[in-house]
Amino acid sequence: GAVVSQHPSWVICKSGTSVKIECRSLDFQATTMFWYRQFPKQSLMLMATSNEGSKATYEQGVEKDKFLINHASLTLSTLTVTSAHPEDSSFYICSARDRDRSTDTQYFGPGTRLTVL
Amino acid sequence: GEDVEQSLFLSVREGDSSVINCTYTDSSSTYLYWYKQEPGAGLQLLTYIFSNMDMKQDQRLTVLLNKKDKHLSLRIADTQTGDSAIYFCAVVFSGGYNKLIFGAGTRLAVHP
């Protein structure tokens, strides 16, 4: 149980294009999902917290117009990197919190590697 | 704000025990977590401990929590080559949405 998927697992795009990454909780409902970014050999940096049916809460320094987050259902959140540039190349990981558990445990997706040329 | 610190690297011989340490600053976290990350993959939840516990054992994994010193450790018994990965400790920051704060990660290398 508690499986989170991400799609795509990797993507290469040209500079200036937009890329959408999906995060799905497969066997549980998630009122809250989180989006992280991880640079090589570094820890995870929280970008934003996404609550179903409401606007995402962005961490300081993260551009909300650059990284659009939508959490339209209890099992799906999307992150759209708009007008991507090479400096946006990174490993993006989502996580989801099971609303029926009281432990605040976050279950992580396998990550999406974005390369912007 | 919350701060979580870990040593960055640990090398052990196959069959030995590994101990990965973590210290944190915010003592309000109800649960404390250990995650494992293999190359190119997401994070896998290994185990967690409730803040009113001192120890939790799960097969080869033992978690020790010293709340007074704000110290968390993960012991892996009979370490195998498949245990080679990066291990993150994480605590819940109570400042909003109960977000996780991660340490920098400890890279565990297991050699024959």
Side-chain angles (χ1 to χ4, degrees), chain A residues 38 43 51 59 97 103 106, chain B residues 33 35 37 97-99 103:
Chain A
Q38 186 179 34
S43 189
N51 285 292
E59 294 299 300
R97 181 185 295 147
T103 61
Q106 292 182 26
Chain B
Y33 302 87
Y35 286 90
Q37 185 179 35
Y97 292 110
N98 290 345
K99 60 185 180 183

Side-chain angles (χ1 to χ4, degrees), chain A residues 104, chain B residues 2 24-32 50-51 67 70 91-95 98:
Chain A
D104 286 332
Chain B
E2 178 64 79
Y24 57 96
T25 56
D26 184 354
S27 60
S28 63
S29 189
T30 306
Y31 295 93
L32 300 96
F50 190 48
S51 60
K67 285 194 69 176
K70 297 180 185 177
V91 300
V92 176
F93 176 57
S94 56
N98 290 345

Side-chain angles (χ1 to χ4, degrees), chain A residues 32 34 36 38 41-44 46 49 51 54-55 57 59 91 93 97 101-111 113, chain B residues 6 30-31 33 35 37-45 48 86 88-89 92 96-105 107:
Chain A
T32 306
F34 302 83
Y36 296 85
Q38 186 179 34
K41 297 186 179 181
Q42 292 190 27
S43 189
L44 282 74
L46 179 64
T49 302
N51 285 292
S54 64
K55 290 184 179 180
T57 301
E59 294 299 300
F91 194 52
I93 308 177
R97 181 185 295 147
R101 296 182 188 225
S102 60
T103 61
D104 286 332
T105 302
Q106 292 182 26
Y107 298 95
F108 285 80
R113 183 161 303 282
Chain B
Q6 297 177 240
T30 306
Y31 295 93
Y33 302 87
Y35 286 90
Q37 185 179 35
E38 297 185 10
L43 273 67
Q44 171 195 351
L45 176 66
Y48 62 87
I86 301 175
F88 292 95
C89 73
V92 176
Y97 292 110
N98 290 345
K99 60 185 180 183
L100 283 178
I101 304 297
F102 287 86
R107 183 177 297 273

Side-chain angles (χ1 to χ4, degrees), chain B residues 23-99:
Chain B
T23 58
Y24 57 96
T25 56
D26 184 354
S27 60
S28 63
S29 189
T30 306
Y31 295 93
L32 300 96
Y33 302 87
W34 284 103
Y35 286 90
K36 174 183 179 182
Q37 185 179 35
E38 297 185 10
L43 273 67
Q44 171 195 351
L45 176 66
L46 276 182
T47 187
Y48 62 87
I49 187 167
F50 190 48
S51 60
N52 69 353
M53 297 171 64
D54 298 324
M55 184 182 84
K56 179 180 179 181
Q57 186 154 3
D58 184 4
Q59 299 182 329
R60 291 191 298 123
L61 304 178
T62 302
V63 179
L64 296 179
L65 174 61
N66 182 328
K67 285 194 69 176
K68 176 176 173 290
D69 294 339
K70 297 180 185 177
H71 182 265
L72 182 71
S73 69
L74 174 70
R75 177 177 180 270
I76 305 173
D78 187 25
T79 312
Q80 303 296 309
T81 55
D83 295 323
S84 295
I86 301 175
Y87 292 81
F88 292 95
C89 73
V91 300
V92 176
F93 176 57
S94 56
Y97 292 110
N98 290 345
K99 60 185 180 183

Side-chain angles (χ1 to χ4, degrees), chain A residues 8-103:
Chain A
S9 55
W10 58 270
V11 56
I12 301 173
C13 68
K14 291 183 179 180
S15 187
T17 60
S18 294
V19 175
K20 180 185 284 189
I21 303 170
E22 292 185 349
C23 176
R24 292 182 185 272
S25 56
L26 298 185
D27 51 2
F28 65 97
Q29 294 185 321
T31 49
T32 306
M33 289 184 170
F34 302 83
W35 286 96
Y36 296 85
R37 185 172 179 176
Q38 186 179 34
F39 293 102
K41 297 186 179 181
Q42 292 190 27
S43 189
L44 282 74
M45 181 193 81
L46 179 64
M47 299 174 66
T49 302
S50 166
N51 285 292
E52 187 262 340
S54 64
K55 290 184 179 180
T57 301
Y58 290 81
E59 294 299 300
Q60 193 172 5
V62 178
E63 300 175 59
K64 58 183 66 177
D65 295 330
K66 172 79 171 171
F67 299 99
L68 300 179
I69 290 172
N70 183 275
H71 192 161
S73 77
L74 287 173
T75 58
L76 173 65
S77 176
T78 60
L79 167 69
T80 301
V81 183
T82 62
S83 187
H85 287 92
E87 57 266 29
D88 298 323
S89 298
S90 191
F91 194 52
Y92 292 87
I93 308 177
C94 73
S95 70
R97 181 185 295 147
D98 187 343
R99 73 167 187 175
D100 293 328
R101 296 182 188 225
S102 60
T103 61

